[in-house]
Amino acid sequence: MKKIEEQLQQHNIRPTAMRMLVYQFIKSITSAVSLTVVENYFEKSDRTTLYRTLKTFEEKGVVHQIDDGTGIPKYALCQHEHYLEKHNDLHLHFHCTKCNETVCLTDYQIPQISLPDNFIPEDINMLVKGICDQCNI
Ligand SMILES: [Zn+2]
Ligand SMILES: [Zn+2]
């Protein structure tokens, strides 16, 4: 548990018991999780607390939100090692149409894009839909 405590503190998050448990849960899952998945796992916990925990994680750069086109926001841990670096998660996301899981492809960066003059990009999302390696058997 010590390491989780430190990781939260590095992001200026006070490591409460609940936050540490939610962090550990998200970390233990390879795909991105929705609020519902977190709620179902911590079914005895207060839903508002869980929602706020995810929001705090998002604000402090512990997780990033993924829009996978299902209409349900998913959350995944941010991979950047240096917590002081500007939050940057410009990697591809993959949504499997068979198992419905969404995963971060952190080793696959979003290719450089060009924009017309005077357009300033603030955020780029790139989602690939298809069949994941688990379903492609
Ligand atoms: Zn799949
Ligand atoms: Zn991601």
Side-chain angles (χ1 to χ4, degrees), residues 86-97:
K86 193 176 165 354
H87 193 191
N88 213 355
D89 279 292
L90 297 179
H91 52 263
L92 296 180
H93 288 119
F94 191 93
H95 179 70
C96 176
T97 50

Side-chain angles (χ1 to χ4, degrees), residues 75-136:
Y75 300 88
L77 283 192
C78 295
Q79 297 289 334
H80 54 112
E81 307 237 309
H82 307 284
Y83 63 97
L84 287 174
E85 264 177 30
K86 193 176 165 354
H87 193 191
N88 213 355
D89 279 292
L90 297 179
H91 52 263
L92 296 180
H93 288 119
F94 191 93
H95 179 70
C96 176
T97 50
K98 210 165 177 184
C99 65
N100 241 344
E101 301 282 1
T102 300
V103 291
C104 294
L105 302 178
T106 39
D107 290 337
Y108 297 82
Q109 299 297 306
I110 290 177
Q112 222 51 126
I113 55 148
S114 44
L115 289 172
D117 284 347
N118 301 319
F119 281 70
I120 301 164
E122 287 181 338
D123 192 22
I124 306 174
N125 261 311
M126 199 172 276
L127 181 91
V128 182
K129 282 187 190 176
I131 311 290
C132 74
D133 59 347
Q134 301 296 308
C135 296
N136 183 23

